[in-house]
Amino acid sequence: EVQLVESGGGLVQAGGSLRLSCAASGFTFDDYAIGWFRQAPGKEREGVSCIDSSDGYIWYRGSVTGRFTISSDKAKNTVYLQMNSLKPEDTAVYYCARGPCSTGWYEVGMTAWGQGTEVTVSS
């Protein structure tokens, strides 16, 4: 069974940091890109970042570039999202997903989703 399990969300003050984890199981980790979407209250879900471990390709949405860092640990089948300098507008439920990265990180292309982890940034 394909599973993506997120952890690491929580409440943090603006300017603080959090690290999200996405533990993958049930498939060959290197065969797929994995990354993150987020959905803020009342807004559509949007792509945040993705990483393709097979070739090292990484993508970030513009608003998180320079603040967020995505990485993967093949030994642990886990993808991380280090989030620094958090802003209130980063408040959202963050979802881990599996799908193509280098051709565009879009919901329609995803083939597996995690259950989400909530991130709240207070001002």
Side-chain angles (χ1 to χ4, degrees), residues 23-105:
S25 62
F27 61 96
T28 302
F29 188 74
D30 283 352
D31 286 350
Y32 295 89
I34 294 176
W36 298 88
F37 288 81
R38 67 186 180 186
Q39 187 167 22
K43 295 188 177 181
E44 294 186 353
R45 190 151 52 182
E46 61 185 19
V48 176
S49 180
C50 59
I51 183 169
D52 190 331
S53 298
S54 67
D55 61 8
Y57 180 87
I58 289 176
W59 171 84
Y60 297 102
R61 74 178 298 109
S63 61
V64 308
T65 299
R67 300 188 297 121
F68 291 10
T69 303
I70 194 168
S71 62
S72 68
D73 185 334
K74 295 181 182 182
K76 296 182 178 180
N77 283 2
T78 299
V79 171
Y80 302 98
L81 186 68
Q82 178 66 44
M83 306 186 295
N84 298 330
S85 302
L86 283 161
K87 304 175 181 180
E89 51 263 44
D90 294 317
T91 295
V93 177
Y94 284 71
Y95 297 90
C96 179
R98 182 189 79 172
C101 179
S102 60
T103 55
W105 189 240

